[in-house]
Amino acid sequence: MTNVPNPSGLPNNARIDSENSLPRDRGLLRRRRRFSVVAGIATAGLLLASCASSTSTASPTPRTGGVASYALGPGDQFSWILPLENEANYENYDSNVSNGLFRPLYYVGGAGTTGINYALSIGTPPIYSNADTSVTINLRHNYTWSDGVPVTTKDIRFFFELEAAGAKNGDYAPYLPGRMPNDIKSISYQGRYQFTLHLNHAYNPVWFTGNQLTWIYPLPVQSWDRTCLNCRSTNAASTPGGATKVLDFLYKESAQLSTYATNPLWKVVDGPWTLTSFDPTTYHAVFRANPRYNGAGKPKLAGYQIYSFTSATAELDALRSGLIDFGYLPTSDLGLTRYFQTHGFNVQPWKVFYDNIAELGYTGPYRHLVDQLYLRQALQHLVNEKLYLSTTLHGFGMLDYGAAPLYPGSTYVSPALHHDPYPYSIAQARSLLVSHGWKISSTMSTCVSPGTGPGHCGPGIPKGAPLRISMMYATPSTSLAAQAQAFASAARAAGITIQLNPQPQDTMYSTAGVCPPGPCNWGIALYGAQEDFGQYVLVPTAGVEFAKGNYWGGGYYNPTEQQLLNDAYDQPGLSKLYQVENYQSRQVAGLWWTVGDYEVAVVRKSLTGWNPLNPYANYMPSRWSFKR
C-alpha cells in the first residue's frame, strides 16, 4: 500500500462506467449550471476601469472577532442546509455554505488553487492498493461534533446507508447510474478512524478521488439516525427500508426553512460554523464560530452573515450603504469602480474553474451538418473568443479551448489547451467550406458536391442543401446577445447563415434541454452558463457532456473519444485526461466559448484573508479577518 502522489491536490490511478453510460435526469446538470454575474448583467460597449489590479497587496495585521457579511448573486438564496442535495436543491452556493457546517471528507479548492485541499479535509490522502481496486482512508482524530462526540467511521457508514437509499429512490441529486455507490463492491471498517472501499474494478485514483470520494460527508449518526424529531436516534438506517425513511425525514426537515435556526438536527455540526439565525422570507442567514471546532482552519471572525437580493441594483445599494462587506459590482455599473476604490473597497474579478460550451444538435434536422468535422472546425474558427473577452465581457473572463478553461496554474488543464487549435479566421472557415463542396453565396450557400470523401459535402447532405443552422441563445444577457450576433455576422461573411433564436433560460432548458433523447430541433444551443467543477465533479473529463448516453452535448458520440474517456478513467495519472481533453478540443465536440468571471467582487478594505479567491466560488469566510 502506498500513498498516491498528488501534484494537483489529487492522487493518481482508474476506470469508470459512470460518467459515460446511462441516461439520467436532466435536472442534475441543469441545476449545476448558472449565469455568472458578469455574463448575466454585462452591457456591451462599457469600458473597463482599473478593476483587475485594484486589490491591495499590503499585509495588514489581522485581529480576531467581528462579524463580516457577503452577498449572494441576484436571485440566489441559501435555502438547503442538508449536505445531501435532492434534485430541487442542487446549487453550489448552497453546498459551499453547508460545507462550513458539515465538513466533507475531502474539501475542494483553496486560495486560488484547484484540486483537493487536504489541509482542510477530515480524511488524509487515500491509499490505493490491490491494483487500484481498494481504497483505504484514514480519518483525522481531531474532528468532533458540536455535541462532543468524535467524528468516526460510524458517521461514514451512516452516509453510505443514506446515499444508497437516495441512489435507489432517485432522490440524491449527484447520483448517476454506475456511480457511487454502484462502483463499490463492499466496505470494511477497520476501526473508529479507518475504512476501506473495495471497488468493483480498478479505477484511476485521479478520477475516483476527485469525482467520487469528494461526495462523502461524515454525518452525525448519533443525532440524525431517526425518522422524526421526537424519535430517539437508533439504528433506523441500518436497513435499506429504514435508510429510505431516515433520508425522507431529513429531506423534509431541510425543506423547513422556518426551523433552520431552531431545529436540533442542524445544531450538531463538525465544521467551523453554526447557524444561529435565519429569515425564511429574505434568506438572511447569520452564523457564529463553532466554539467546539477542533479541525483545521479555525475561524478568526466571531461570525458572518449572508444576504440575498432580488436584483443587482438592490445589492449595489446595500454595498454603498455599508450593509455588506463582500459584494459585487454589476458590469453595467463599472463606472462606479473608482468610487468604491476611493471609499474603502477593493475591486477584484473572481475567476472560477468553470466551463462554457455551445452545444451542437447531433440529432434532428441539423445532424447531417454538425456531424461533419470540417463544418465544426469552420464554426469554431468563427468564435472570436478574444474579442468577446475584451469587449462584451470587458476582460472579466477566461479563454476556453476545450473541456477545461485556462484557469491559471491548474494541472487539470492540458498544456495543449493553452493554444487555440482553430484561431478566429473567416478566411480559414470559408476555405474549409469551399474545399468540401459548398458554393459560397452572400444570400444562401448551397452544397454543389454531395457525397462522401474529400471535396464533398458529406453523407446525408443532398445537392442544393442550404448551409443554414439555427442557434438558440439565452436571454436577457446583453453580453451573450452581443457574442451571438458577432458570431452570426462572422458566419455570414464565411458563407454560413446562422438563424438566431433568443430564448429565456428556462425555455432553453425545456426545449434544447430535452435533446437527447428527443430530436435536437436546433443546430447550436448557447446557454451562456457555466458548468461548474468542484465538490462532485473535480476532474473535468467532459464525460457528463460527451460520453455515450449522456444528455448534455446534444447527443454527441464518438467511439474514439469514448475509448479515450475510458482510458482516462482506467489508467493512472493525468496524461490520459490530457489526451481526451486534446481530442475533444480538436474534434470540436461542442463549440468552445469564452467563460465569464463569476463576479466582480467589491470587498471592504478592512476585510482581509479573502484573496486569492476560491476557484469553485466558495467564499471561505473561515479565512477572513478584519484589520487590527
Side-chain angles (χ1 to χ4, degrees):
M1 261 184 206
T2 57
N3 279 305
V4 181
N6 115 42
S8 62
L10 274 176
N12 311 316
N13 291 1
R15 165 170 186 179
I16 155 187
D17 295 318
S18 37
E19 270 184 328
N20 64 340
S21 52
L22 301 175
R24 74 291 308 277
D25 189 334
R26 298 246 347 152
L28 166 73
L29 293 176
R30 180 177 70 81
R31 296 187 181 94
R32 297 302 282 181
R33 295 186 174 218
R34 58 153 290 159
F35 280 111
S36 67
V37 171
V38 171
I41 307 170
T43 300
L46 283 173
L47 296 177
L48 250 183
S50 56
C51 292
S53 60
S54 64
T55 301
S56 172
T57 57
S59 300
T61 303
R63 66 175 173 86
T64 57
V67 178
S69 58
Y70 71 78
L72 291 175
D76 293 347
Q77 302 133 356
F78 170 57
S79 57
W80 190 257
I81 196 170
L82 182 69
L84 297 172
E85 295 95 338
N86 63 8
E87 286 287 350
N89 300 275
Y90 193 29
E91 301 288 356
N92 68 319
Y93 48 80
D94 281 332
S95 60
N96 284 341
V97 175
S98 65
N99 280 357
L101 304 171
F102 311 103
R103 269 290 191 252
L105 179 66
Y106 291 115
Y107 191 98
V108 302
T113 59
T114 59
I116 291 179
N117 189 330
Y118 284 110
L120 296 182
S121 296
I122 294 177
T124 61
I127 302 169
Y128 285 77
S129 61
N130 298 326
D132 299 326
T133 62
S134 298
V135 189
T136 298
I137 297 168
N138 292 289
L139 308 182
R140 302 186 195 277
H141 294 202
N142 57 319
Y143 281 83
T144 60
W145 297 103
S146 51
D147 60 3
V149 177
V151 177
T152 70
T153 52
K154 289 184 179 180
D155 306 307
I156 298 292
R157 184 196 298 268
F158 184 50
F159 164 83
F160 280 114
E161 290 169 344
L162 297 186
E163 186 202 34
K168 180 179 179 181
N169 300 330
D171 296 330
Y172 182 45
Y175 170 73
L176 298 177
R179 285 191 180 183
M180 187 182 292
N182 301 151
D183 49 18
I184 299 173
K185 188 163 54 177
S186 64
I187 307 174
S188 57
Y189 299 89
Q190 289 81 31
R192 284 161 56 89
Y193 297 105
Q194 186 183 82
F195 67 100
T196 299
L197 306 179
H198 306 282
L199 311 181
N200 57 17
H201 56 246
Y203 287 91
N204 178 354
V206 169
W207 178 83
F208 194 85
T209 302
N211 290 18
Q212 296 288 261
L213 297 185
T214 50
W215 295 25
I216 301 173
Y217 283 79
L219 301 176
V221 62
Q222 78 281 2
S223 174
W224 290 7
D225 192 5
R226 62 178 76 184
T227 56
C228 69
L229 274 179
N230 296 323
C231 300
R232 190 167 59 90
S233 185
T234 60
N235 293 321
S238 60
T239 65
T244 295
K245 292 180 181 178
V246 172
L247 186 61
D248 288 345
F249 162 67
L250 293 174
Y251 275 157
K252 180 175 69 73
E253 293 301 309
S254 190
Q256 303 299 316
L257 275 61
S258 61
T259 67
Y260 270 16
T262 57
N263 194 321
L265 294 172
W266 317 134
K267 299 295 183 182
V268 182
V269 299
D270 63 345
W273 303 102
T274 183
L275 180 66
T276 61
S277 174
F278 186 80
D279 187 323
T281 302
T282 65
Y283 304 96
H284 174 226
V286 180
F287 302 82
R288 70 173 175 88
N290 175 8
R292 306 198 70 162
Y293 180 66
N294 294 319
K298 291 185 178 182
K300 302 177 183 66
L301 295 172
Y304 78 96
Q305 304 180 68
I306 299 174
Y307 288 92
S308 295
F309 299 93
T310 56
S311 69
T313 300
E315 181 273 340
L316 189 61
D317 290 341
L319 192 61
R320 278 186 286 212
S321 71
L323 178 66
I324 51 179
D325 302 300
F326 190 127
Y328 50 85
L329 185 62
T331 313
S332 55
D333 290 296
L334 281 179
L336 293 173
T337 297
R338 184 62 182 164
Y339 166 83
F340 281 107
Q341 290 174 332
T342 58
H343 285 75
F345 290 87
N346 286 312
V347 182
Q348 175 74 31
W350 191 343
K351 296 190 179 302
V352 284
F353 193 48
Y354 287 178
D355 199 12
N356 195 12
I357 301 169
E359 297 176 3
L360 299 171
Y362 291 96
T363 70
Y366 301 97
R367 66 187 184 278
H368 297 305
L369 290 174
V370 300
D371 271 344
Q372 311 308 316
L373 175 59
Y374 75 84
L375 182 61
R376 300 198 302 272
Q377 292 170 329
L379 290 170
Q380 189 66 62
H381 274 303
L382 302 171
V383 180
N384 196 342
E385 288 202 43
K386 292 181 179 179
L387 177 68
Y388 305 162
L389 179 59
S390 64
T391 57
T392 68
L393 294 175
H394 316 296
F396 294 152
M398 289 178 289
L399 301 174
D400 186 359
Y401 301 136
L406 303 187
Y407 188 86
S410 177
T411 56
Y412 298 129
V413 184
S414 165
L417 294 192
H418 288 263
H419 309 282
D420 190 351
Y422 303 109
Y424 177 73
S425 173
I426 292 175
Q428 289 188 53
R430 190 182 183 100
S431 176
L432 280 166
L433 300 175
V434 171
S435 66
H436 285 84
W438 291 91
K439 181 180 179 180
I440 305 302
S441 169
S442 59
T443 54
M444 183 65 67
S445 301
T446 56
C447 173
V448 294
S449 297
T452 61
H456 296 279
C457 301
I461 301 176
K463 186 173 184 177
L467 188 48
R468 179 178 56 224
I469 301 176
S470 172
M471 177 177 178
M472 296 178 64
Y473 68 90
T475 60
S477 166
T478 52
S479 66
L480 194 66
Q483 294 169 22
Q485 291 161 8
F487 173 72
S489 178
R492 188 180 310 113
I496 304 174
T497 298
I498 300 293
Q499 297 176 313
L500 294 178
N501 181 20
Q503 295 289 341
Q505 182 83 335
D506 287 345
T507 303
M508 291 282 295
Y509 289 125
S510 63
T511 54
V514 297
C515 158
C520 302
N521 294 315
W522 44 269
I524 304 170
L526 177 62
Y527 293 87
Q530 301 163 330
E531 180 69 43
D532 61 316
F533 314 122
Q535 193 63 41
Y536 297 103
V537 182
L538 189 59
V539 181
T541 61
V544 292
E545 288 100 354
F546 301 126
K548 185 177 182 180
N550 282 336
Y551 282 166
W552 294 109
Y556 176 88
Y557 175 65
N558 180 310
T560 301
E561 186 254 6
Q562 185 66 56
Q563 184 58 53
L564 290 172
L565 274 172
N566 291 338
D567 290 344
Y569 305 144
D570 288 347
Q571 300 181 29
L574 291 167
S575 63
K576 297 301 180 180
L577 170 65
Y578 294 162
Q579 288 182 26
V580 73
E581 287 180 344
N582 296 344
Y583 187 82
Q584 291 165 344
S585 176
R586 293 192 302 269
Q587 287 287 310
V588 198
L591 297 183
W592 316 116
W593 214 271
T594 314
V595 180
D597 285 346
Y598 186 69
E599 65 185 36
V600 180
V602 181
V603 188
R604 196 173 303 280
K605 289 182 179 179
S606 59
L607 187 66
T608 67
W610 57 271
N611 197 37
L613 293 157
N614 184 295
Y616 304 114
N618 192 330
Y619 290 80
M620 298 185 73
S622 294
R623 297 172 49 216
W624 297 359
S625 62
F626 286 105
K627 290 182 184 179
R628 188 175 295 277

